[in-house]
Amino acid sequence: MLQKLHEEEKVVVGGDMRAFSPGHSAKFGSYTIMKLENNKVFDLQLVQSNEVGGSYHMELEGLKRSLELLKERGVTLDCIVTDRHLSVQKFLSESSITQFFDVWHIEKGGTGGLHPLHITTDKRKWMAAGTPAFCKLEKILSNKRILKAVAKLSPHHQTSSLEAFHSIILRFAPKNVVFPFLGMFYR
């Protein structure tokens, strides 16, 4: 598969870390790289938090390992679609690799959870300017970080297939069960 990727001019990939525990204190994480045009996973890096100085650093390390593999195999990236992990953003920017953000991650981190989605065609039910709900939404959407992130939203590709792959892994390595390194590697 890597040989076929090498033969292509430019490849669009998605990358994401799946932590193997609930919350932010994971012992293991697996970083997955998927070719987004055909949803094929071509690399998965298992990272242990104590080898990189904590669970926050696992995502960047997994990405670096995957990108190193691609470089060794002569694969030319067009771009990578990821979430907005700050150290990943900094690394990709310094590496001159074009990064786009997945739309779902922006929504999840920005306006998700404010209220349930209600679809209506009744024009009288639109939010009126000056109401508390309108002001709250306006404040969120005019946030400088959100505006900057919207400019980097992926125009064509999303990581939903990558998220679906991670949900399949849950069947073999649930977040509430701790396995040793080899157990996680095999799963």
Side-chain angles (χ1 to χ4, degrees), residues 11 26 49 71 73 89 110 119 150 154 168 176 180 184:
V11 180
S49 65
K71 184 179 175 184
R73 300 297 177 97
Q89 288 181 55
I119 309 261
V150 167
S154 175
I168 291 170
N176 60 349
M184 292 306 296

Side-chain angles (χ1 to χ4, degrees), residues 167-186:
S167 70
I168 291 170
I169 293 176
L170 280 173
R171 304 217 182 260
F172 303 99
K175 290 186 174 192
N176 60 349
V177 179
V178 178
F179 297 99
F181 185 85
L182 283 178
M184 292 306 296
F185 181 75
Y186 294 136

Side-chain angles (χ1 to χ4, degrees), residues 4-23:
K4 286 182 181 180
L5 288 176
H6 168 69
E7 294 167 3
E8 295 183 29
E9 273 190 47
K10 291 191 173 193
V11 180
V12 176
V13 298
D16 195 26
M17 172 66 74
R18 179 188 176 276
F20 289 94
S21 76

Side-chain angles (χ1 to χ4, degrees), residues 6-7 25-26 45 49 55 59 62 65 73-74 85 92 100 105 108 117 122 124 134 139 149 154 161 170 176 187:
H6 168 69
E7 294 167 3
S25 59
Q45 294 287 332
S49 65
S55 59
E59 185 154 359
R65 292 177 187 180
R73 300 297 177 97
H85 194 278
L92 291 173
F100 289 108
H105 285 94
K108 181 179 85 167
L117 180 63
D122 186 348
R124 296 174 295 156
F134 180 89
K139 183 178 179 183
S154 175
S161 297
L170 280 173
N176 60 349
R187 282 167 174 74

Side-chain angles (χ1 to χ4, degrees), residues 20-66:
F20 289 94
S21 76
H24 297 286
S25 59
K27 183 174 181 179
F28 297 105
S30 62
Y31 197 85
T32 307
I33 294 279
M34 173 185 279
K35 182 178 177 192
L36 294 178
E37 285 126 347
N38 62 11
N39 299 329
K40 289 190 177 182
V41 172
F42 60 87
D43 190 41
L44 198 144
Q45 294 287 332
L46 183 62
V47 182
Q48 192 167 343
S49 65
N50 64 2
E51 69 179 304
V52 294
S55 59
Y56 178 80
H57 305 286
M58 292 190 304
E59 185 154 359
L60 179 58
E61 181 61 28
L63 171 68
K64 285 179 177 180
R65 292 177 187 180
S66 289

Side-chain angles (χ1 to χ4, degrees), residues 52-140:
V52 294
S55 59
Y56 178 80
H57 305 286
M58 292 190 304
E59 185 154 359
L60 179 58
E61 181 61 28
L63 171 68
K64 285 179 177 180
R65 292 177 187 180
S66 289
L67 292 177
E68 185 59 35
L69 174 69
L70 295 178
K71 184 179 175 184
E72 288 172 3
R73 300 297 177 97
V75 176
T76 305
L77 286 184
D78 181 32
C79 64
I80 184 168
V81 181
T82 68
D83 59 17
R84 295 186 307 154
H85 194 278
L86 291 175
S87 62
V88 167
Q89 288 181 55
K90 184 175 186 240
F91 172 77
L92 291 173
S93 174
E94 291 171 352
S95 302
S96 300
I97 297 173
T98 303
Q99 177 189 29
F100 289 108
F101 297 141
D102 180 78
V103 172
W104 179 77
H105 285 94
I106 300 291
E107 189 278 332
K108 181 179 85 167
T111 61
L114 282 179
H115 52 80
L117 180 63
H118 295 288
I119 309 261
T120 182
T121 56
D122 186 348
K123 294 184 190 260
R124 296 174 295 156
K125 293 191 176 184
W126 284 96
M127 202 179 298
T131 63
F134 180 89
C135 292
K136 191 172 187 177
L137 181 62
E138 184 180 44
K139 183 178 179 183
I140 290 169

